[in-house]
Amino acid sequence: PNSFLTQLVIGPVFEEQPSSLIYPEGMPEGKVTLSCQARAIPATIYRWRVNGTEIAFAEDSQYTQVAGNLVINNPQNGRDGGSYQCLAINRCGTIVSRVANLKFGYLHDFPPESRSPQTVHEGTGTFLACQPPAHYPALSYRWFINEFPNFIQPEAGRWFVSQVTGNLYLANAKANDTGNYFCFTTINMDISTKSIFSKAVQLTVYPDANPRKASPNIRVRFPAETYALTGQTAQLECFAYGNPIPKIHWRKVGGILPPKVGASAEGPILIIPELNFDDEGMYECEVYNSEGRETHQGRISVQAQPEWLQVMSDSEVEISSELQWSCAAAGKPRPTIHWLLNNGRLRISNLALEDSGMYQCVAENKHGTIYSNAELRVQVQAPDFRLNPVRRLVPAARGGQVKMECKPRAAPKPTLFWSRGTELLTNSTRITVTPDGVLWIYNISRSDEGKYTCFAENYLGKANSTGHLSVRDATKITLAPSNADINQGENASLQCHASHDPTMDLTFTWSLNGVPLDLEEPNGHYRQTIGDLVIVNGQLSHAGTYTCTAQTVVDSAVASAKLVVRGPPGPPGGLVVTNVDDTSVELRWSHGYDNHSPIGKYVILGRSSQTHDWKRMRTDPANIEGNAESARVIDLRPWMDYEFQVIASNILGSGEPSMASQSVRTKQAAPTVAPSGLGGGGGNRNELIITWTPMAREYQNGDGFGYILAFRKQGMPTWTVVRVPHVESSRYVYSNESLSAYCPFEVRIKAYNKKGEGPFSQIAVVHSAEEEPIISPRRINATALTAFEIQVSWDPIQHLIINGIRYWRQHEREAAADRVRTAGLENTARVTGLRPNTLYHVTILAYNSAGTGPPSPRTTVITKKPPPSRPPGNISWKVDGSWVTVRWDHVKSMDNESTVLGYKVLYKHEGQSALKILDKSKNSVILPLPKDNGYVVLEVRSWGDGGDGAAHETIVSRDSGIETLDIEQY
């Protein structure tokens, strides 16, 4: 037949489309390739446009086409920059690619002029301007000091390089920051990278012995409105001067920062990757130190490029019919949509052959344009059954129904009718012929067997196709499953048997609430044997209606039963928090499923913003009965964010918790506990330093938080009271010229917020700053303990924190003396690691927090002679029952060694780790031996005034023996 489809023709479909590119300006002998490839039959012809004008390919042109790709030789800014599109064409029509923008990147050099030097006082903030040269696209910035590549590091938040301006910021300067600074910029393009650096900026920091403290002053602020696209990364910058270095904390106003921001939530750049519309909102940067705080807010507005929600697909339709194509896209701003037909407008009614071709749907907003392509084929054809004949054999079950389809290929739509033999079939009580040619036969009997023919006709011709209907015995359920009732964790068995036509195979399948069961799942809960089903370890999710289906190729029979699974209640729903007070809230909820066992009680769980684990909360009433739908949670902390869950229980156990409530903050109240860790002391002359542990967030009870200190000299009636703002504060310095040294003060502290004041702490005694000691320890005595150790004693000086022992040898200078420090209340100390038989000078100095006092009169001491360097020799032993006698030769000391006063024997039995020590004056020892042929590890050494001598080690077993030692080597 004469048909539009008799020849294989396929319209173009893009496989590669051109992509936007940034090309380095001035690159010699370069070229740019924009890709374009489409599959089609017959093959595709390609054309290109630049800025809407078709490109002419001449011999002297910079343009060359290779296959479908466009090659631009020696690209030049001003001549070749613009928007490029590829057109793919064949007999079916034309499609247009996405737009590819060719732009030129550049980075000019920094000006050659020297930069003005800058100065700053230690402890104050400053910035160095980068002033980058002209460039495209955006740069990344770093700074180095004095020489490359000594790049500036963040250093705990003291330095910051803005990636918006390139400027280098310094929260507070230090004297060693003096140096020459260079701004280092890098540009990244698609095919190259370039870096340059500026002339030096000389920074001089004027030292200050006591830099002034300063509250935070935000100097880098992110815009009041930031626009970003979904899928991209948003970065907000915030940095402040201050002393101490301000800390930075980010939050989302009226929401929660997403976890994906990571550690940037505490840094100068908040990084939000993979933006989505949930990230839209107001963001706040808070900077704070012990001197104060400052905040800055700005909004992120998330927009989106067009994205297809619904696209068109290739369609084949009959001549003279209508086409209904739908195309929908999302985006922000909302995309506009228009249609292209072979690069023209779309027609969708009274279709003719010439309407065949390529169509495109185009969605665009200010952020981009997307294309969807489809081919329309308008058909004209005489009826033809060759590709889709009537089924040759159609089996059907007796008493059932059968469907016979007639779907010839034809355009326009043909007239269809059925016949059995010479009988034309028309609609009756048992037969229905639908307008689209489907034949239905109901209540089938053996007499319905035979041949059935479908006839199709349009103005181009006629055709027919015949199938044979075969009637079989019906399938019937002979044993249906029965309803079952189990507790969670028990097994249930459902039976199903059926009869069927013996010429066909029978299969059984099961479904739960209409969903087929996966009986092949490993470690699953279902086991099937022929038609019977067993539910193993039944769970609540297994309850419902089970349907058994017995099926052959011609019919099926079904039977159903209900399974009830009793278990713990389901989660309560609709949890809301109302009537919020400072220490309590009211919860309301609705009952969940009781899972066929009445709910007996409810338990409320909660967690605060300071904890991660859920814990049981105290409630009113204490025991919440199963018919309750509300309760009051008590004993909460004021001004704290809480979430809550509700769990229902019955006799079968506790169910899953409800969804967490929305976070709610309790009302503010005055503090109820006093700060801890009250102490202090030290400092400069005429100062009283008081310190404490900053109050944790859960005890602050409200904003406007600070501390109230009360102090007085011990024995005085009047208290001095001061207020110290800011929760981070942890010390207060009181200065008074009349303040005497190491004067005891009674101190107490309490917290306050805008709701009131809390209770005072217990009184602590803190001393004012000490003065340098003016006296030294007295009655110094030094005694030699061994050849290597002396003991020094003295009369201590009251109130001193530490004493320092200086010691040096007779021919050394005192300036080179070694030192040992001890606690001030101790009046003895040991000095070890000395040389034997050596005269040492010893003196003691008193120390405190204010400095060092004068040295005591020196004393001298001579360490004792060293112990013998030779170990005991000729060790022998003899076993007598469960004991062993060990003997050795006496050790004789040299003239320059201390006299031997006795021997130390260290031993351990086999398998033991601890050594046992025996002190002997004789040259023998009797030791117990372990049973079962065990052994003893033995170590013998001499001792005397000079300490312990060298050791001789051996292993003693039940076999009597002797071990000699070559003394000459010593």
Side-chain angles (χ1 to χ4, degrees), residues 885-962:
T885 301
V886 182
R887 300 180 184 275
W888 57 88
D889 290 348
H890 279 295
V891 176
K892 294 181 181 180
S893 58
M894 308 292 287
D895 291 341
N896 62 343
E897 295 176 336
S898 60
T899 303
V900 174
L901 299 180
Y903 299 91
K904 288 184 179 178
V905 179
L906 288 75
Y907 72 96
K908 65 178 180 180
H909 289 116
E910 177 186 6
Q912 294 180 345
S913 58
L915 286 171
K916 298 179 182 179
I917 302 175
L918 296 175
D919 202 344
K920 291 288 181 180
S921 58
K922 299 179 180 180
N923 64 331
S924 64
V925 66
I926 299 176
L927 301 175
L929 265 181
K931 297 178 180 179
D932 302 326
N933 296 320
Y935 59 85
V936 176
V937 178
L938 193 69
E939 181 180 297
V940 182
R941 68 177 72 221
S942 63
W943 67 271
D945 288 340
D948 292 346
H952 184 172
E953 296 182 6
T954 187
I955 295 178
V956 176
S957 65
R958 287 191 169 271
D959 296 329
S960 297
I962 183 170

Side-chain angles (χ1 to χ4, degrees), residues 455-734:
F455 294 87
E457 180 179 356
N458 66 11
Y459 71 87
L460 294 172
K462 301 177 181 179
N464 63 74
S465 180
T466 300
H468 181 81
L469 176 62
S470 174
V471 179
R472 313 289 176 87
D473 290 337
T475 303
K476 296 180 180 179
I477 298 291
T478 57
L479 177 60
S482 301
N483 294 338
D485 188 327
I486 63 172
N487 290 335
Q488 182 174 299
E490 296 177 348
N491 297 345
S493 179
L494 303 176
Q495 292 182 309
C496 185
H497 299 175
S499 62
H500 66 290
D501 190 295
T503 64
M504 294 180 293
D505 292 331
L506 177 69
T507 59
F508 289 92
T509 59
W510 285 86
S511 64
L512 172 59
N513 299 325
V515 178
L517 297 182
D518 181 6
L519 300 173
E520 303 300 324
E521 180 183 358
N523 302 318
H525 290 267
Y526 298 109
R527 308 284 187 271
Q528 184 176 344
T529 304
I530 307 178
D532 296 343
L533 178 70
V534 177
I535 299 100
V536 179
N537 187 22
Q539 301 299 306
L540 295 174
S541 59
H542 298 142
T545 301
Y546 284 82
T547 301
C548 169
T549 301
Q551 189 165 17
T552 65
V553 294
V554 297
D555 71 337
S556 62
V558 299
S560 298
K562 289 186 177 181
L563 175 65
V564 174
V565 180
R566 303 181 187 272
L575 180 61
V576 295
V577 185
T578 61
N579 299 331
V580 179
D581 207 339
D582 56 350
T583 60
S584 66
V585 298
E586 186 173 345
L587 299 186
R588 295 184 178 276
W589 62 87
S590 58
H591 294 301
Y593 293 114
D594 65 6
N595 290 324
H596 310 289
S597 179
I599 297 173
K601 66 176 182 177
Y602 288 97
V603 171
I604 295 177
L605 304 181
R607 66 181 178 186
S608 72
S609 55
Q610 304 300 304
T611 61
H612 299 290
D613 297 328
W614 294 93
K615 67 175 184 178
R616 184 169 178 172
M617 309 301 288
R618 294 192 62 192
T619 58
D620 183 16
N623 297 315
I624 307 171
E625 296 182 355
N627 59 357
E629 292 186 322
S630 66
R632 193 153 195 87
V633 183
I634 59 175
D635 292 346
L636 302 176
R637 295 195 182 278
W639 200 53
M640 187 65 65
D641 296 327
Y642 284 97
E643 292 178 294
F644 300 98
Q645 291 179 331
V646 180
I647 296 178
S649 302
N650 59 21
I651 60 173
L652 297 175
S654 297
E656 293 294 319
S658 68
M659 291 185 64
S661 68
Q662 285 192 334
S663 181
V664 63
R665 178 171 291 186
T666 51
K667 291 183 177 180
Q668 301 187 38
T672 55
V673 296
S676 62
L678 185 60
N684 298 324
R685 186 175 180 180
N686 306 124
E687 285 185 348
L688 171 66
I689 296 181
I690 304 171
T691 60
W692 62 92
T693 302
M695 191 76 92
R697 170 66 178 81
E698 57 262 37
Y699 299 110
Q700 294 170 23
N701 288 10
D703 57 9
F705 188 87
Y707 305 92
I708 297 175
L709 284 171
F711 54 92
R712 66 184 178 188
K713 285 185 180 180
Q714 208 168 39
M716 299 297 290
T718 306
W719 294 90
T720 299
V721 179
V722 295
R723 283 182 173 250
V724 183
H726 312 307
V727 66
E728 300 89 3
S729 301
S730 61
R731 70 195 299 264
Y732 174 75
V733 180
Y734 171 67

Side-chain angles (χ1 to χ4, degrees), residues 427-442:
N427 290 342
S428 66
T429 56
R430 292 183 57 248
I431 294 176
T432 298
V433 180
T434 66
D436 58 354
V438 176
L439 171 64
W440 286 94
I441 304 174
Y442 306 98

